[in-house]
Amino acid sequence: MKIKLMCTLCCALVSTGASAKQLWSDFSLSYVKGSHFEVVDPDQQTITVEHASGHDWGDTFFFVDRQESDVGDTSTYFEFSPRLSLGYVTGADLSFGLVKDVFLAGTWESGDGFDNYMGGVGVSLDLPGFQYANANIYQVSNDNTSDDVMMTLTWGVPFSISDAEFLYDGFIDWSSKEDDHAAETNFTSQLKWNAGKLIGTAAPVYVGIEYSHWTNKYGIDGADERNPSLLLKWHF
C-alpha cells in the first residue's frame, strides 16, 4: 500500500514513453548558507542539484540536498515528483477558470533513515504575472510517523526593475496534524537577481536571499524556524 500510488503513476508514465515529447527542461546548482536552522545544528550550508522538465504528458521535478553543518555533521535528502496530465491521457480539455490542466501527482521523498511516498492530484494554474503556479494535494505514507495529508503550492514570478531581472519563487508545504506529530507549514521562498547578464551567461546566474518560515518543523510542536540565508544559483 505504501508505494501503490507511486507505482501506478510510474507505470502510467512509462506507458507514455513511445510518444513522449519534451517541451522544456532546466538544470541548476545552488549554494545556500544560513545560521538560524532549527532541530539540526543552527549553522548550515547546503548544495542543491535540481532538475525540472515539462512534457506533453506532464512534468517532473527532482532535487537532492547535501547539507553540512559548521561542526561537520552531514545529511542528504532528495525528492522526485512526477505528474501525469489527465488532459493528455483522456484527450480532453480539462481547463476551467484559472486551471490549465489536472494531474495525477506523486512524490517520493527520502533522507537519512526514511522513505515517504505521496499520491494525489494536482493542477497547474494560469495566474497573471506568474511564470508558473501549481497546487497538489497528497495522501502521504510515512516511514517513521503516522500517515497524513499534505498540500503543496509552488510558484515563480519574474519581474524587472530597469534592466535588472529578478525572480521570486518558492513553495508552501502544509501537513496535517496526527496523533504523533503536529501540523506543520513550511513557507520557503527565494528572491533572486540575475547576475548572469553582467558576465554574459546564456542561462541565469542568480544571487539573492532564501527565507524559510517553517512552523513545527518535521512535525515537532514548537520547533519554529525563521531563517534567512544567502543564495547562489547557477542554471545550465
Side-chain angles (χ1 to χ4, degrees):
M1 184 66 182
K2 290 187 68 175
I3 61 174
K4 183 182 293 185
L5 286 172
M6 282 297 292
C7 288
T8 300
L9 179 57
C10 288
C11 289
L13 293 178
V14 169
S15 70
T16 67
S19 59
K21 177 182 177 183
Q22 181 170 285
L23 306 176
W24 59 269
S25 67
D26 181 70
F27 176 81
S28 65
L29 182 65
S30 301
Y31 173 80
V32 174
K33 172 71 172 177
S35 299
H36 300 283
F37 290 89
E38 290 290 327
V39 183
V40 296
D41 293 326
D43 299 315
Q44 301 276 339
Q45 52 186 340
T46 305
I47 294 176
T48 301
V49 176
E50 290 182 351
H51 183 267
S53 59
H55 309 260
D56 53 0
W57 52 261
D59 52 44
T60 66
F61 177 67
F62 170 81
F63 77 87
V64 57
D65 284 342
R66 179 64 173 177
Q67 194 170 61
E68 181 175 351
S69 73
D70 285 2
V71 297
D73 294 333
T74 61
S75 64
T76 302
Y77 171 81
F78 76 80
E79 291 185 11
F80 173 58
S81 300
R83 301 196 308 170
L84 177 64
S85 165
L86 296 181
Y88 176 85
V89 171
T90 63
D93 181 3
L94 300 182
S95 63
F96 61 94
L98 297 176
V99 173
K100 294 192 293 184
D101 200 0
V102 181
F103 298 84
L104 180 64
T107 292
W108 170 27
E109 60 178 19
S110 181
D112 297 331
F114 72 90
D115 290 281
N116 299 331
Y117 300 94
M118 309 177 191
V121 295
V123 294
S124 60
L125 302 172
D126 186 9
L127 301 179
F130 282 69
Q131 187 178 65
Y132 62 88
N134 301 293
N136 302 317
I137 186 166
Y138 303 102
Q139 176 64 48
V140 185
S141 179
N142 293 311
D143 242 0
N144 299 328
T145 61
S146 295
D147 296 348
D148 53 21
V149 174
M150 182 175 180
M151 182 176 68
T152 297
L153 306 175
T154 61
W155 72 89
V157 180
F159 64 96
S160 299
I161 300 176
S162 187
D163 291 334
E165 297 177 353
F166 297 87
L167 178 65
Y168 178 63
D169 59 3
F171 67 88
I172 301 175
D173 284 341
W174 173 86
S175 296
S176 64
K177 177 182 178 180
E178 303 299 334
D179 291 342
D180 60 351
H181 61 270
E184 63 176 300
T185 303
N186 181 2
F187 179 7
T188 296
S189 61
Q190 298 177 349
L191 179 60
K192 300 171 289 194
W193 165 60
N194 180 14
K197 293 183 67 176
L198 296 181
I199 57 177
T201 61
V205 178
Y206 288 114
V207 294
I209 296 175
E210 176 180 279
Y211 182 70
S212 174
H213 190 99
W214 198 338
T215 301
N216 298 334
K217 185 174 183 178
Y218 302 148
I220 302 171
D221 191 16
D224 299 332
E225 183 172 287
R226 309 289 186 256
N227 183 30
S229 302
L230 297 176
L231 165 73
L232 172 65
K233 187 169 188 177
W234 195 310
H235 289 258
F236 299 90

